[in-house]
Amino acid sequence: MTAAQMTARRAGPLKGVVRAPGDKSISHRALILGALAHGVTEVEGLLEGEDVRRSAAGMIAFGVGVERLGEGRWRVEGRGAFAEPADVIDCGNAGTGVRLIMGAAAGFELAATFTGDASLRSRPMNRVLKPLGEMGASFICRAGGRLPLTLRGGGLKHTAYRLPEPSAQVKSAVLLAGLHADGGAEVIEPEATRDHTERMLRAFGAQVEVTEQGPERRIVLAGGQSLTGVRVRVPGDPSSAAFPLVAALITPGSEVTVEGMLLNPLRIGLLDTLGEMGADLSVTNVREEGGEAVADVTARYSQLTGVTVPPERAPSMIDEYPILAVAAAFAEGPTLMQGIGEMRVKESDRIALMAQGLAACGVGVEEGPDSLTVVGSVRANHGVAGGARVTTHGDHRIAMSHLILGLASADPVAVDEPGMIATSFPGFLPLMRSLGAEIAE
Ligand code: S3P
């Protein structure tokens, strides 16, 4: 059964070679694009976390054949259309799942009701309802565009939508709806966000044109296109790999290699940032897998120095700021993270929760409306105190980040709701233990 808390304590150095679990973003997309396609999509290395399993169940509810063949091996049989679901679609904790599925479903003549857990029901959906509404979908939802909500789809027309905030989920929802919109769809993003949907639409046979103008990107999906099932190999998730890598950087004597990590340039802002902080990281065996670059990444214990992380880097590491904040706690001097307001609308308000958790562990922090400063004072203060029980509000990345902190702090660190870690990284505990981490349930 689910443990009420999990506790990490300082032990010896972390050593070993591990494989990152499948990328969450690509796993959701593999199931959803496979469901929209004609024919069979076979997926290898699918992340079998709670979030992705919800998307698989969602696709079944829309009448798509989805079958698990073995560990990480899934088969999706699409018919190029969604049927009306007979019941409510519960997307659990998954913002990516619900937003992409709403986009995909909006193209069809059907009504579908979506809900999720308490976290997902509190998250803003207007950001997708607005463009999908402009295309012709209609919605009945709770105040502020919250779930549960009912979507009525079909009869969509073209939109050229300029994203008000950088969001790959919103971009993807519009493009997926565009597959069944008269004239397709166009998205203009103020700064580049993860481009897995564009890449995968192409792999499934669609034409997607991308033009860049300064930091802006214009993505055009022409109308009248259909997708054909393909084989998808899911690379290792850099957002999950970040936890063992940072653990090695802050735990004296450690050396950890994560194999098969996705190196998509729109996902690895954390590697750049850690490099600037003086991290001893090496990237080897760079290769291509399923249209994406992957590599083996090795991290060795390093004396880190605080840096300023510029706002334009935020989209390429938006999910990694919690674990960066932990690395920063073990650095010398302040680390300022700017332009990270989007962190407040993730699975939790991650700026607030990291500030609270780090402060409880004796780390100096300063929270701004869209920034966070972590004052590392490792050499001056003989390290990070720890010794707290951290409230995670059911946020998997808040939980994992504080457990990693507990591996190198003076006193143990406990987190509540550790069961939520399974939303993105079900194998976190055995993987960390295999490296020598002391984490107790
Ligand atoms: C994701 C996009 C990001 C990210 C999320 C996954 C995706 O969210 O935080 O974990 O797969 O498209 P936003 O689109 O809200 O930035």
Side-chain angles (χ1 to χ4, degrees):
M1 263 327 291
T2 44
Q5 71 172 39
M6 207 176 258
T7 306
R9 68 186 68 245
R10 199 191 257 181
L14 302 172
K15 300 256 179 200
V17 180
V18 292
R19 252 202 107 72
D23 187 70
K24 180 154 74 73
S25 293
I26 294 177
S27 294
H28 281 296
R29 285 162 173 79
L31 295 172
I32 298 168
L33 270 74
L36 287 168
H38 293 269
V40 173
T41 290
E42 271 200 22
V43 191
E44 213 184 298
L46 189 90
L47 170 69
E48 295 183 330
E50 292 299 327
D51 277 14
V52 175
R53 285 179 177 275
R54 294 281 184 170
S55 285
M59 294 304 94
I60 293 169
F62 280 103
V64 178
V66 179
E67 199 187 340
R68 184 176 189 266
L69 305 175
E71 202 186 319
R73 288 181 47 238
W74 291 63
R75 182 179 191 274
V76 182
E77 189 160 2
R79 282 179 288 109
F82 281 10
E84 185 168 87
D87 204 347
V88 174
I89 311 287
D90 185 347
C91 289
N93 193 244
T96 306
V98 76
R99 293 187 177 124
L100 269 60
I101 295 172
M102 284 199 284
F108 303 102
E109 299 282 346
L110 52 78
T113 300
F114 297 90
T115 192
D117 69 8
S119 155
L120 193 60
R121 280 183 275 115
S122 73
R123 294 180 66 185
M125 293 298 146
N126 273 336
R127 49 179 62 197
V128 274
L129 306 191
K130 185 164 180 284
L132 296 179
E134 281 179 23
M135 296 173 86
S138 57
F139 301 91
I140 298 174
C141 56
R142 285 170 60 225
R146 313 281 156 175
L147 299 175
L149 67 77
T150 298
L151 151 80
R152 179 162 280 286
L156 300 189
K157 56 182 194 320
H158 175 269
T159 188
Y161 190 70
R162 181 177 287 272
L163 297 182
E165 60 280 302
S167 166
Q169 294 177 358
V170 179
K171 167 175 68 177
S172 303
V174 174
L175 292 173
L176 296 180
L179 283 172
H180 295 95
D182 190 16
E186 183 176 331
V187 179
I188 303 115
E189 46 181 6
E191 27 189 339
T193 65
R194 65 191 69 195
D195 58 355
H196 309 305
T197 301
E198 297 92 302
R199 286 172 184 258
M200 292 177 75
L201 280 169
R202 287 199 190 108
F204 278 79
Q207 273 194 353
V208 183
E209 269 179 41
V210 181
T211 47
E212 289 182 30
Q213 234 178 6
E216 245 180 51
R217 278 195 179 200
R218 182 179 296 266
I219 302 125
V220 178
L221 176 83
Q225 305 198 62
S226 62
L227 307 181
T228 308
V230 290
R231 275 180 181 277
V232 180
R233 187 157 175 200
V234 182
D237 196 328
S239 302
S240 297
F243 296 105
L245 292 175
V246 168
L249 292 177
I250 62 173
T251 307
S254 298
E255 176 170 337
V256 167
T257 298
V258 179
E259 290 182 332
M261 185 184 115
L262 174 67
L263 270 198
N264 182 311
L266 297 171
R267 293 289 301 280
I268 53 167
L270 178 70
L271 291 190
D272 297 335
T273 305
L274 292 171
E276 290 168 7
M277 295 172 80
D280 181 350
L281 289 168
S282 44
V283 177
T284 54
N285 198 12
V286 181
R287 56 211 185 263
E288 207 200 277
E289 273 180 18
E292 294 272 12
V294 301
D296 303 337
V297 181
T298 301
R300 292 174 203 87
Y301 172 70
S302 306
Q303 304 244 313
L304 303 174
T305 308
V307 293
T308 294
V309 191
E312 60 273 13
R313 197 173 292 161
S316 68
M317 55 175 294
I318 192 65
D319 293 336
E320 283 68 77
Y321 285 97
I323 191 64
L324 172 66
V326 170
F330 289 88
E332 187 59 28
T335 292
L336 168 59
M337 304 165 220
Q338 298 171 317
I340 55 171
E342 278 291 301
M343 274 181 76
R344 294 204 184 271
V345 290
K346 295 296 174 190
E347 286 82 329
S348 69
D349 178 344
R350 287 182 171 162
I351 297 182
L353 288 193
M354 283 313 298
Q356 282 163 29
L358 290 176
C361 292
V363 180
V365 282
E366 199 178 309
E367 187 186 336
D370 70 345
S371 68
L372 180 66
T373 303
V374 176
V375 186
S377 47
V378 165
R379 268 157 264 170
N381 267 354
H382 314 292
V384 171
R389 183 175 192 271
V390 173
T391 306
T392 65
H393 288 206
D395 187 324
H396 51 124
R397 296 199 206 282
I398 299 294
M400 288 186 279
S401 297
H402 286 96
L403 289 171
I404 298 300
L405 182 140
L407 297 177
S409 56
D411 291 317
V413 173
V415 300
D416 66 359
E417 300 186 69
M420 292 303 289
I421 290 171
T423 61
S424 69
F425 200 161
F428 173 78
L429 186 58
L431 182 143
M432 291 307 303
R433 282 178 175 164
S434 78
L435 295 172
E438 265 199 38
I439 304 179
E441 282 184 274

